[in-house]
Amino acid sequence: MNEKTKPLSRSESGSIATISIIAIMAMFLVNRGVNIVTPAMNTLYEHFSEYSQDTVSLISTLPNLTLVIGTLLVGMIVGKKVKYRTMAIVGSILYLIGGVLPYFFDDLWATLGCRALFGFGLGLLYPLANALLTGLYEGDKRASMLGYGTLLLNVGGIILQTLGGMLADISWQTTFLAHAVSVLSLVCAFLLPEPKAPATSTTVEKKPWFNKEVLTIGIVFLVYMIMAYPVMLQISSIFADRLNEGATVASTAISMYTVLAAVGGAIFGTLFKITKRWVLPLSFLIVAIGLVLVYIGTTYVVMTAGISLIGFGFGIIMPTLLAWNGMASVPGTTAKTTSFVLALMNLGGFVVTFYLQGLTAVFGESVYSPLIVAIPVIVICCIIFVVFNPFKKYTRAQEA
């Protein structure tokens, strides 16, 4: 008997399944909302110049903390005490209110309060689409669907980051109007499939949802975010320092990150099918090369090429780790494990604020030092996955 929890299947629900899958995929488009303010950070630093850059950077990083809280809450109650649709509706409303409100006042602390609310709302949305896809599909089809989800995640990122940069050139406050896109997720919430309760069995009950592989996946996400997110957070400052360019140019470069991340997500299913063994080391190597190009680059072309490679690598890393998580999860616990690993990923985004403070204490600056640290760490990750094959036992099981 198959113990896995499955949302509505195509055979069970016909055309409703198609509408539901479209709704799930559309949810990915708003999940990069945290990055709306990324190309505007230099503008925000200038406006709130009476505060330290580390304090102002909380506008970008604080949502990652409350996002973690929201994500963990989803893992504990969604599908049990609260329906997927209800969670998506509440998350979309909080996303909208917390995201747009800073437009209406000029106060850093009030803005941070709104950012915390926004992050919690996004946290309620973030794991839903991945959890639904992981439970609905298996094997190579699951990998392909997660890849398409990553594609749409990054397409949404392109739109949101570009819009954020353009609005930042009007004023720092107009940047926050871009969060109104959460209306899309609010509409999609009403079309989401509602998974059936998992079948009760002694096999599922005796196996805990938490295991070493799930923890490892979460740690990899955490380390990657601590290494890579500061680069994206500071990229507008790097462009301003080296090229004397504004937020719009920086947002265009960041958009190339998301374009290539979308490409990585689009080809992930095929790449994963051909060679599960080398997907992770290859993607980490690509990210490392991108980091080097950003560090040594003195022209828009070289620096944008580096950012693009980082995006392409992450576009492969994220669905790979999520596919691995799906394989490692005990049947019926996918929503919980997905919430856990994504919570650790976003915790890394919050820890970045304190990480940058540490880099400032050691290097005297926090703009270029993240690159100096990230390059060797990402290379080490590459080497680890050259030696360690996380898919070995699953490949053998399929062959058997």
Side-chain angles (χ1 to χ4, degrees):
M1 178 178 178
N2 188 350
E3 307 285 7
K4 295 203 172 191
T5 304
K6 291 189 178 182
L8 301 175
S9 68
R10 185 172 299 276
S11 60
E12 291 171 330
S13 56
S15 61
I16 297 178
T18 302
I19 295 172
S20 297
I21 294 303
I22 291 173
I24 293 171
M25 289 300 183
M27 297 286 288
F28 282 102
L29 292 172
V30 302
N31 277 357
R32 275 283 174 86
V34 169
N35 294 342
I36 286 174
V37 300
T38 302
M41 287 311 300
N42 199 54
T43 302
L44 292 167
Y45 290 147
E46 291 175 355
H47 180 77
F48 293 111
S49 57
E50 67 270 27
Y51 300 96
S52 69
Q53 283 198 5
D54 290 332
T55 301
V56 178
S57 69
L58 286 170
I59 293 175
S60 177
T61 60
L62 180 60
N64 288 288
L65 176 61
T66 52
L67 195 158
V68 169
I69 298 171
T71 299
L72 290 175
L73 179 64
V74 168
M76 290 188 290
I77 66 175
V78 75
K80 307 178 189 72
K81 299 178 180 179
V82 179
K83 292 182 178 181
Y84 277 73
R85 294 189 192 100
T86 303
M87 189 68 74
I89 291 168
V90 173
S92 298
I93 292 172
L94 295 179
Y95 183 125
L96 178 63
I97 294 173
V100 172
L101 267 184
Y103 171 78
F104 297 98
F105 44 74
D106 186 356
D107 182 85
L108 177 61
W109 302 111
T111 297
L112 291 177
C114 291
R115 297 297 288 168
L117 180 64
F118 156 73
F120 183 73
L122 179 57
L124 299 182
L125 291 176
Y126 203 88
L128 296 181
N130 280 307
L132 286 169
L133 289 181
T134 304
L136 180 58
Y137 296 101
E138 298 178 3
D140 292 334
K141 184 64 174 178
R142 173 193 286 165
S144 295
M145 295 304 291
L146 288 171
Y148 295 143
T150 301
L151 167 64
L152 291 174
L153 178 72
N154 288 291
V155 168
I158 295 168
I159 297 169
L160 297 178
Q161 288 168 345
T162 302
L163 183 59
M166 292 172 63
L167 292 175
D169 281 341
I170 298 173
S171 77
W172 72 271
Q173 286 169 300
T174 53
T175 304
F176 296 96
L177 293 178
H179 296 87
V181 297
S182 58
V183 172
L184 173 64
S185 63
L186 183 58
V187 172
C188 291
F190 292 95
L191 301 174
L192 289 178
E194 199 61 47
K196 295 179 181 179
T200 302
S201 75
T202 55
T203 303
V204 175
E205 290 173 354
K206 288 183 178 179
K207 287 187 177 181
W209 68 270
F210 186 80
N211 57 55
K212 290 189 293 184
E213 283 189 89
V214 170
L215 177 61
T216 300
I217 295 163
I219 291 174
V220 174
F221 265 131
L222 176 69
V223 170
Y224 182 86
M225 283 298 290
I226 293 175
M227 292 299 104
Y229 190 63
V231 178
M232 307 312 297
L233 181 64
Q234 302 290 51
I235 199 66
S236 62
S237 297
I238 294 174
F239 269 83
D241 178 54
R242 286 185 176 170
L243 306 178
N244 195 31
E245 297 288 359
T248 300
V249 172
S251 69
T252 302
I254 295 172
S255 292
M256 290 305 300
Y257 168 99
T258 48
V259 167
L260 269 294
V263 173
I267 69 170
F268 167 71
T270 301
L271 187 62
F272 189 78
K273 182 184 294 186
I274 295 173
T275 170
K276 292 182 177 68
R277 173 68 180 93
W278 300 105
V279 170
L280 281 174
L282 176 62
S283 54
F284 275 109
L285 177 61
I286 291 170
V287 170
I289 295 172
L291 291 169
V292 170
L293 290 179
V294 173
Y295 183 68
I296 67 174
T298 56
T299 66
Y300 176 83
V301 172
V302 173
M303 293 168 64
T304 302
I307 294 169
S308 300
L309 286 176
I310 296 171
F312 182 71
F314 184 62
I316 300 171
I317 289 172
M318 184 171 184
T320 302
L321 293 178
L322 289 173
W324 178 15
N325 179 71
M327 297 174 188
S329 297
V330 174
T333 66
T334 304
K336 192 173 289 186
T337 59
T338 301
S339 295
F340 174 77
V341 299
L342 291 179
L344 281 186
M345 181 181 77
N346 289 290
L347 178 63
F350 173 72
V351 171
V352 159
T353 296
F354 308 101
Y355 172 64
L356 291 175
Q357 291 175 355
L359 291 179
T360 300
V362 174
F363 293 94
E365 55 84 24
S366 60
V367 176
Y368 296 101
S369 54
L371 289 161
I372 296 172
V373 176
I375 292 169
V377 171
I378 295 299
V379 169
I380 290 171
C381 289
C382 175
I383 294 171
I384 288 173
F385 285 109
V386 166
V387 176
F388 168 63
N389 176 11
F391 304 108
K392 187 175 182 179
K393 67 178 182 180
Y394 302 110
T395 302
R396 286 179 175 176
Q398 288 178 355
E399 291 174 351

